[in-house]
Amino acid sequence: MKKKMRVLWLSAIACNGNTHSFLNYPYMEQFLDDFEFIYHPVIDSEYSLEDIVSKEITCDILLIEGAISKEFKRADVSVVDIIEKYSKIVQKIVTVGTCATFGGIFRESGYEETSGLHFDKEEPLKTHKDLLDKTISVSGCPVHPEVLVNTLYAIKKSAALKLDNFLRPKEFYAYTVHNGCTRNEYFEYKVDNHRFGELEGCMFYDHGCQAPFTHGSCNKILWNEVNSKTRAGVPCMGCTEPTFPRQNLFSTKKNMAIPENLPVGVGKRVYLTLAGISKAFKIDRLEKKLIDD
Amino acid sequence: MLDKKQLKKEQIIQTALELFASKGFYSTTIPDIALSLKMSVGNMYNYFKSKDTLAIEIIKYISAYLGEKLKEINEQEISTKEKTRKIVEIYFKTASLKPEMIDYFLRIYLSNREVFKESCEGMLCVNEFVTEIMIYFEEGVKCGDLREQDFFSAFGLFMGYLGGMVFLKGENVLPKDLNDYVDDITFNIYKALSAE
Ligand code: SF4
Ligand code: SF4
């Protein structure tokens, strides 16, 4: 029998959303042929949480889900101590989801100095610096199951993953979510007559779509292999970014009608000039409904 | 360095502007402009294919000229109130030094829309100028000096006021020199736009 990689899934301050997302991975059987959980909060595993904290069980990859705080305990042991113990023996650490990576929604609650493993929002932390070389971050609220699984396979195959400044594999996080959205044509011509759930219109101008400055593969690797938020007609909320969650997710912050956040790498002057030009076009096809008119 | 052709183009634009201002847009012909420049009419057409093309080039030229001045103001590290004052000043200065420019904008561009319909849809031909005004507003709101509101209502307030003053001056009804109004007008515009 080929050797399975041994994985510890440690839940810190979490809602288990990443676990739920992971359970939707369509090829789970295959995955469990190649990896085994020495412990997982909802999947049957060989050891109990007590075993994990009291003994030192051999393990190849440590997955951390949820935000981290010294004060937070699992089986009566601080999660930071559990992380430190296992980080010494594993090959790689993966921060799964935005909470484990940046602090996410739990950091916002203000519980006892909560943050991600290496970042407090965008701020790099001084703690756990010795683990930087081992860590890969797969952010997202929740993480896309294929991004997680494919990262684990890359580790298994010892493939060299190029990481961005937040330790995220560029393979999945170098694009923006805007890339591959079916509404790009509406964005180009500044047609914003969007209504939630309809096929027409771009959500950048009025409905808070953060995809043009959010790094992720959501429109390239579809959710449940069929869809994405923006394709379905709901704005991207920027869940893979250190700034997540921000307030008023369904409205676009504007200053005198100009969106405050512009697409990555586009200067304000250039954006306004281009927008001015494209606004001059009136394309009937894009102003109308596509179906059921 | 501007090449020869570009220089000649600007000369034509300047002369045309002056003639349009003194004789009116419709009564000025391409031969009139050529005569003024001591050019042959045939040669004129090498630069501008028609009076309408010339008209469009002129408005783009004015927009680029004013846009460049506003960009310099926008790039300074000064308060929105000071920027407002500088914009008023530059607009009035242009109206005094190059009255034909502002005149063209007010009397020809805004009132002969049919000439500009084809290739100047929306704000296309005045893009440089409008972009800088947008940046002035955007930065003002962002730093908390100006109130968030619809762009066009703010734009109309600002430009309508300035245009109106220059118009009154052109009609010789202003008792004082334009520059004497800079303080009051800055105060009024800023007060109307400000967040306080
Ligand atoms: S809806 Fe969002 S992702 Fe889609 S085109 Fe508009 S800005 Fe881009
Ligand atoms: S579309 Fe945006 S908010 Fe939704 S999952 Fe992807 S990155 Fe997160």
Side-chain angles (χ1 to χ4, degrees), chain A residues 253-260 268-270 272-278 280-282, chain B residues 71 74-75 121 124 127 131-132 134-135 137-139 141-142 146-149 151 154:
Chain A
K253 168 92 177 91
K254 280 180 273 197
N255 299 315
M256 207 71 93
I258 298 164
E260 177 154 307
K268 199 163 26 190
R269 215 161 245 121
V270 174
L272 290 175
T273 304
L274 287 175
I277 293 169
S278 27
F281 295 101
K282 190 128 181 83
Chain B
K71 186 172 174 210
N74 275 335
E75 282 173 346
E121 277 151 285
L124 271 189
N127 200 274
T131 296
E132 293 306 325
M134 281 181 149
I135 288 179
F137 281 141
E138 199 260 356
E139 286 174 353
V141 174
K142 204 166 174 181
L146 304 185
R147 176 166 45 91
E148 164 67 11
Q149 59 171 306
F151 168 74

Side-chain angles (χ1 to χ4, degrees), chain A residues 70-83:
Chain A
K70 279 207 295 292
E71 307 301 317
F72 191 74
K73 291 183 177 160
R74 299 304 316 268
D76 264 345
V77 179
S78 149
V79 280
V80 172
D81 293 341
I82 309 175
I83 291 170

Side-chain angles (χ1 to χ4, degrees), chain B residues 4 14 36 55 71 90 94 102 113 120-121 155 164 171-172 180:
Chain B
K4 250 180 141 177
Q14 191 52 41
S36 238
K71 186 172 174 210
I90 199 71
T94 312
I102 305 288
R113 300 303 297 148
C120 282
E121 277 151 285
F155 183 66
E171 296 293 306
N172 288 321
D180 293 340

Side-chain angles (χ1 to χ4, degrees), chain B residues 43-102:
Chain B
N43 194 14
M44 259 296 283
Y45 284 112
N46 285 331
Y47 292 91
F48 297 99
K49 286 197 191 64
S50 66
K51 201 167 94 178
D52 284 4
T53 336
L54 175 59
I56 286 166
E57 287 304 316
I58 293 177
I59 193 63
K60 287 186 180 163
Y61 176 78
I62 296 172
S63 156
Y65 175 87
L66 285 173
E68 190 51 43
K69 301 270 176 221
L70 292 196
K71 186 172 174 210
E72 281 166 25
I73 297 172
N74 275 335
E75 282 173 346
Q76 292 171 28
E77 305 255 332
I78 51 176
S79 70
T80 314
K81 195 167 187 175
E82 286 171 275
K83 281 188 191 170
T84 314
R85 190 191 159 90
K86 287 191 186 244
I87 295 175
V88 174
E89 267 171 5
I90 199 71
Y91 196 86
F92 284 174
K93 196 169 154 200
T94 312
S96 308
L97 293 177
K98 298 176 182 275
E100 64 288 350
M101 264 199 186
I102 305 288

Side-chain angles (χ1 to χ4, degrees), chain A residues 177 214 218 223 229 236-240:
Chain A
V177 173
T214 295
C218 289
W223 286 83
K229 276 197 186 66
C236 166
M237 297 171 180
C239 80
T240 55

